[in-house]
């Protein structure tokens, strides 16, 4: 445990607002991060703000020579999609969505004097600050502090920095906290570790493992990562073997619509995990691309399924726990959602990654990090020497979309503005060679904060309906029902009165309706297949010895390949892709498939799910082991399967390939 954590426990220092000051986590920073200094250019900002100054210091191209006059787009109105209820119930509102597009324009030069409201080509395409384009940065900060996390419990609240998406955000997080470790070169006791769920988004592993990071999986259940019990967070940290590496001080988690499992961690479990992280001084990296996709109808459906199965249903969290928010977000929709770890972050140890990839479009490559101000400053130093700020094209269009229309520009020439906000006057020279402001309003319509929340609400509604449709079809085909007639007594012919019929139900797969996110996580019951553990006689996975039986990995690969053949033509993601370690992949990863209901066309939600159901049923009727042998004897890997299948016409992609 760190000295700072011990001091905090003895009596937290308070800020002017009476809240505890966030802890100092300098001891967790990587050696490179500790040596990074803030940009020396910031020292010049006080000079750039002098009214009328002629700026000959900055190495900036003249905006007059930018080839873009304006940036324009036809956009959706925020009420295009119909929401679903914030609490389980009937969706009574069936109004047609608003389909008429709106028009937005980023003008050459805006007439707005305030730099945090000024959106134009001249500033957006010029060199900018590493933390983001001031208008969009200010808007994201307001949304985050006032509406997304209004109840941050440490003094001053959280700050933000814009990123090139969550992948970039996590890359910067690894840069900040991880000293690279090389096997055979560095002391094994110094190896860094990363805590995560047993199943995790694979790109996280691809980012962490090349740095020598040891992946440390924590068991999870239907409510997410386990805090207690064997394999839970407390167990792993309390019994850590230091000879195998440093006890992990970094945890990666997706808590609101987990990828791939779809769980939402309730507030009660969240508090348990946070307390353990505080006790063992662990930084929590909360990646939440699906936070607004929380599905009340799934909670209700899972309770019904549990009761029908004779199981004790998990208590819904929507009514009881979410109401524990200490401060309202200002919007009923946001109030209805399970809050972030930031809402209980008294230490300032939570780093949250957000993205516009799922709310606007992945190609934006735009997101933000939320954390305590001292950590945001460290992120800013990393950005200054790596990505700088995200694309000005994207930032300005997104800013124009969410902020609303720009005011009509005056006809006078642009002059320097003396705003103290981040020294943005540095990028608005008073030189007469700069472009002249537009003489009319060109910016059209924008959403503003209320429109942005309404857009999120509508997106949740559309994805929730898709989820409901796919799960309903999957429910109908989760078991194979067969019947046989038993004769009343020996010597009687079939059909004699008194004969009785035996109904046999064979479970094919089980799952819970996802309470958040874009994915359905199925556990396949391969042990019920008639060829389970049947002898086979071919080499598998390039090994010298022969596989003696149809084992789990073999039958899982066979089913995945079988589903890609006609007439089924459906592609799913195999669970081994999301296994945190090779041991998990070999022991349990093959048992699972992930289906994505988000990316396919509206028509393919139903047809894709039905193809999957029909394909699984047909696969379970295979009684000849030679069919399985023929499917997998080519020893193809997952990537080869995808490359081959995606080139076929009519393939229904439920795997979410090429995305996350």
């Amino acid at each position: 445990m760190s000295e700072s954590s011990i001091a905090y426990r003895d009596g937290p220092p308070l800020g002017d607002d009476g809240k505890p000051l966030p802890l100092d986590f300098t001891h967790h920073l990587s050696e490179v991060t500790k040596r990074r200094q803030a940009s020396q250019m910031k020292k010049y900002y006080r000079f750039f703000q002098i009214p009328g100054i002629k700026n000959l210091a900055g190495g900036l191209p003249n905006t007059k020579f930018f080839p873009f006059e304006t940036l324009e787009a036809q956009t959706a109105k925020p009420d295009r999609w119909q929401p679903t209820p914030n609490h389980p119930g009937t969706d009574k509102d069936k109004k047609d969505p608003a389909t008429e597009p709106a028009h937005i324009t980023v003008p050459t030069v805006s007439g707005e004097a305030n730099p945090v409201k000024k959106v134009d080509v001249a500033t957006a395409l010029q060199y900018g600050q590493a933390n983001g384009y001031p208008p969009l940065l200010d808007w994201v900060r307001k949304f985050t502090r006032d509406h997304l996390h209004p109840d941050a419990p440490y003094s001053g609240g959280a700050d933000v920095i814009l990123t090139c998406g969550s992948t970039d955000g996590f890359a910067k997080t690894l840069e900040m906290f991880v000293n690279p470790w090389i096997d055979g070169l560095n002391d094994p006791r110094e190896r860094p570790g990363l805590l995560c769920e047993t199943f995790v988004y694979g790109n996280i592993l691809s980012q962490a493992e090349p740095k020598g990071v040891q992946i440390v999986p924590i068991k999870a259940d239907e409510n997410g990562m386990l805090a207690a019990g064997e394999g839970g967070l407390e167990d792993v940290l309390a019994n850590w073997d230091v000879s195998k590496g440093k006890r992990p001080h970094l945890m990666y988690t997706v808590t609101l619509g987990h990828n791939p499992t779809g769980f939402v961690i309730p507030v009660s479990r969240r508090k348990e995990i946070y307390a353990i992280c505080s006790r063992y001084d662990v930084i929590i990296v909360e990646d939440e691309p699906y936070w607004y996709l929380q599905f009340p109808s799934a909670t209700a459906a899972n309770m019904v399924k549990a009761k029908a199965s004779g199981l004790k249903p998990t208590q819904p969290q929507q009514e009881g726990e979410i109401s524990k928010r200490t401060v309202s977000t200002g919007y009923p929709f946001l109030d209805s959602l399970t809050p972030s770890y930031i809402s209980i972050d008294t230490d300032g140890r939570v780093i949250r990654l957000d993205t516009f990839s799922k709310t606007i479009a992945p190609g934006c490559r735009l997101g933000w990090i939320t954390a305590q101000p001292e950590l945001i400053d460290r992120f800013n130093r990393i950005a200054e020497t790596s990505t700088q700020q995200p694309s000005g094209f994207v930032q300005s269009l997104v800013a124009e979309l969410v902020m609303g229309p720009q005011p009509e520009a005056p006809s006078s020439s642009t002059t320097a503005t003396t705003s103290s906000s981040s020294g943005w006057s540095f990028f608005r020279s008073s030189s007469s060679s700069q472009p002249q402001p537009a003489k009319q309003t060109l910016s059209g319509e924008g959403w503003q904060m209320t429109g942005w929340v309404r857009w999120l609400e509508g997106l949740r509604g559309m994805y929730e309906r898709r989820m409901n449709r796919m799960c309903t079809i999957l429910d109908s085909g989760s078991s194979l029902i067969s019947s046989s007639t038993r004769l009343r007594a020996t010597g009687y012919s079939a059909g004699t009165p008194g004969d009785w019929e035996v109904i046999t139900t064979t479970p094919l797969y089980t799952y819970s309706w996802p309470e958040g996110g874009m994915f359905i996580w199925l556990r396949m019951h391969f042990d019920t297949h008639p060829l389970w553990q049947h002898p086979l006689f071919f080499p598998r996975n390039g090994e010298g010895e022969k596989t003696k039986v149809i084992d789990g990995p073999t039958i899982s690969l066979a089913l995945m390949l079988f589903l890609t053949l006609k007439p089924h033509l459906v592609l799913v993601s195999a669970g081994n892709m999301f296994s945190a370690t090779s041991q998990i992949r070999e022991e349990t990863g093959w048992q699972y498939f992930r289906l994505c209901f988000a990316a396919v066309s509206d028509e393919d939600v139903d047809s894709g799910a039905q193809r999957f159901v029909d394909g699984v049923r047909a696969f379970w009727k295979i009684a000849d082991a030679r069919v399985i042998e023929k499917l997998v004897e080519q020893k193809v890997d997952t990537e080869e399967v995808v490359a081959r299948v995606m080139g076929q016409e009519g393939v229904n992609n439920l795997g979410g390939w090429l995305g996350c």
Side-chain angles (χ1 to χ4, degrees), residues 116 148 191 477 532:
V116 298
L148 198 53
R191 187 179 185 184
W532 175 253

Side-chain angles (χ1 to χ4, degrees), residues 187-444:
D187 188 337
R189 295 170 297 181
E190 293 299 313
R191 187 179 185 184
L194 178 68
L195 301 160
C196 65
E197 290 88 1
T198 50
F199 293 102
V200 64
Y201 173 43
N203 201 43
I204 297 303
L205 307 180
S206 300
Q207 289 180 275
E209 289 177 332
K211 291 180 176 289
V213 175
Q214 179 178 194
I215 304 302
V216 183
I218 306 298
K219 288 185 178 179
D221 62 11
E222 66 276 7
N223 284 326
M225 182 181 287
L226 291 175
E230 184 180 358
L233 184 61
E234 176 80 42
D235 179 45
V236 169
L237 292 175
N239 298 296
W240 184 257
D241 184 354
V242 295
S243 67
K244 297 181 179 179
K246 299 175 66 175
R247 188 170 63 194
H249 66 260
L250 201 61
M251 182 177 81
Y252 172 86
T253 183
V254 180
T255 72
L256 303 171
H258 181 263
N259 181 9
T261 66
F263 60 68
V264 172
I265 297 184
V267 174
S268 56
R269 177 74 60 84
R270 202 175 292 263
K271 289 180 177 179
E272 294 172 359
I273 292 173
Y274 184 87
I276 296 170
C277 288
S278 183
R279 187 158 59 250
Y280 289 95
D281 199 20
V282 175
I283 300 290
I284 300 174
V285 183
E286 184 185 23
D287 187 5
E288 303 295 4
Y290 315 105
W291 62 271
Y292 64 101
L293 296 179
Q294 298 181 37
F295 307 133
S297 60
T299 303
N302 287 331
M303 292 185 67
V304 172
K305 289 179 67 174
K307 290 179 180 179
S309 302
L311 302 175
K312 182 180 179 181
T314 302
Q315 291 298 316
Q317 58 173 306
Q318 260 67 19
E319 296 294 341
E321 294 194 309
I322 294 177
S323 62
K324 293 181 181 179
R325 277 188 180 273
T326 57
V327 180
S328 173
T329 65
Y331 296 95
F333 171 66
L334 299 182
D335 284 341
S336 74
L337 303 177
T338 300
S340 164
Y341 269 115
I342 290 178
S343 67
I344 56 174
D345 185 21
T346 53
D347 295 346
R349 66 176 62 254
V350 176
I351 296 170
R352 171 156 159 157
L353 310 179
D354 278 283
T355 180
F356 285 104
S357 292
K358 309 301 188 296
T359 55
I360 295 182
C364 289
R365 304 317 309 144
L366 183 64
W368 72 92
I369 297 173
T370 305
Q372 60 153 293
E374 288 300 320
L375 294 181
I376 292 296
D377 180 64
R378 294 287 184 171
F379 278 116
N380 193 54
R381 297 184 193 185
I382 294 173
E384 286 173 342
T385 56
S386 57
T387 59
Q388 286 286 328
Q389 65 171 311
S391 164
F393 290 99
V394 173
Q395 289 190 93
S396 59
L397 282 171
V398 171
E400 190 70 31
L401 176 68
V402 299
M403 290 175 61
Q406 294 292 299
E408 182 175 345
S411 58
S412 59
S413 62
T414 306
T415 57
T417 304
T418 58
S419 170
S420 61
S421 179
S422 304
W424 187 243
S425 56
F426 169 53
F427 305 108
R428 294 193 310 284
S429 169
S430 60
S431 170
S432 59
S433 63
Q434 301 300 307
Q436 300 300 301
K439 295 185 178 181
Q440 57 183 341
T441 301
L442 296 175
S443 55

Side-chain angles (χ1 to χ4, degrees), residues 42 44-53 112-118 123 129 134-135 138 141 415-428:
K42 290 183 178 179
Y44 284 86
Y45 283 176
R46 61 191 179 97
F47 298 112
F48 300 153
Q49 295 170 12
I50 299 175
I53 194 169
E112 175 61 59
N114 187 343
V116 298
K117 295 183 179 180
K118 182 184 181 72
T123 54
Q129 301 169 106
D138 182 70
R141 182 181 287 118
T415 57
T417 304
T418 58
S419 170
S420 61
S421 179
S422 304
W424 187 243
S425 56
F426 169 53
F427 305 108
R428 294 193 310 284

Side-chain angles (χ1 to χ4, degrees), residues 125-175:
L125 302 190
Q126 187 56 276
Y127 282 118
Q129 301 169 106
N131 59 349
Y133 187 42
L136 184 60
L137 177 66
D138 182 70
W139 184 90
V140 168
R141 182 181 287 118
K142 288 179 179 177
F143 172 65
T144 301
R145 288 169 56 91
D146 297 347
H147 305 293
L148 198 53
H149 315 299
D151 44 6
Y154 53 79
S155 181
D159 199 4
V160 300
I161 181 174
L162 300 188
T163 65
C164 301
S166 291
T167 299
D168 174 49
F170 188 63
K172 289 184 168 75
T173 302
L174 290 175
E175 174 76 10

